[in-house]
Amino acid sequence: MGVLKHFESYIAAQKATGMQFVIFGVLLLIAGILLHFSQLTPITQGLRNGFFVTSMLLLASGVGFIANQNTLLQTKTETYQTNQQEFRQQEIERMQGVNKRVPAIVKGLAVALILALLALILIGIQPLWKGVLFSVLIYLLGLLILESISYLSVKTYLESLLNDAT
């Protein structure tokens, strides 16, 4: 398979990840709507409010990520058509950076936030805020799962670039 085909497969996988963000956002929005029509306690009010906010963040980031991948596909395809060696070198450098930095940053930040949120939930704060914090915790756990799926396509694409370069 050629380098451009590997790149197109990588972009398709990244777009699928963006769509998963959108689906996760829709699911949280539906959960928030269902909570709105249930018997509201302070905790469920916090969950509902948190779900509404995080669902909007997920929807916006998912749509933005898909648009970004479309732009990346267009610009990198033009680079490939102009100079294949330059394309390959740029992609190897870009993907090595992504492979090295992004998982550590995402994992470290998410784990720190999750631990901080769990500590806040366990201490005696108001039930409304416990609900909000719990919704943010669900959001962060979902992001970790989606980022781990996305990382697989990054790793596979980088391996294909390195194997084609040799």
Side-chain angles (χ1 to χ4, degrees), residues 16-145:
T17 299
M19 187 53 67
Q20 291 165 350
F21 273 72
V22 170
I23 291 168
F24 186 36
V26 168
L27 291 175
L28 287 182
L29 183 61
I30 290 170
I33 291 169
L34 291 175
L35 282 172
H36 180 73
F37 292 111
S38 71
Q39 182 179 7
L40 289 178
T41 64
I43 288 179
T44 57
Q45 283 178 326
L47 270 173
R48 179 198 63 194
N49 295 346
F51 283 162
F52 280 132
V53 171
T54 57
S55 69
M56 294 304 139
L57 291 172
L58 282 165
L59 290 169
S61 64
V63 169
F65 189 71
I66 292 169
N68 180 286
Q69 294 304 307
N70 287 332
T71 303
L72 183 65
L73 176 63
Q74 181 182 0
T75 58
K76 289 295 185 174
T77 302
E78 290 170 2
T79 302
Y80 179 83
Q81 291 169 348
T82 305
N83 186 341
Q84 294 179 11
Q85 276 308 106
E86 181 182 338
F87 169 82
R88 176 179 277 127
Q89 190 57 40
Q90 285 177 359
E91 282 299 287
I92 288 173
E93 290 172 9
R94 183 176 74 87
M95 295 313 294
Q96 284 175 332
V98 169
N99 187 49
K100 187 184 299 179
R101 288 187 309 269
V102 172
I105 292 169
V106 169
K107 186 174 26 173
L109 183 60
V111 168
L113 286 171
I114 288 169
L115 292 175
L117 290 173
L118 285 173
L120 285 172
I121 288 171
L122 294 175
I123 64 172
I125 61 172
Q126 295 177 351
L128 174 73
W129 289 108
K130 282 185 181 187
V132 170
L133 293 175
F134 190 67
S135 69
V136 173
L137 184 65
I138 291 170
Y139 167 76
L140 288 172
L141 289 172
L143 284 182
L144 275 176
I145 292 167

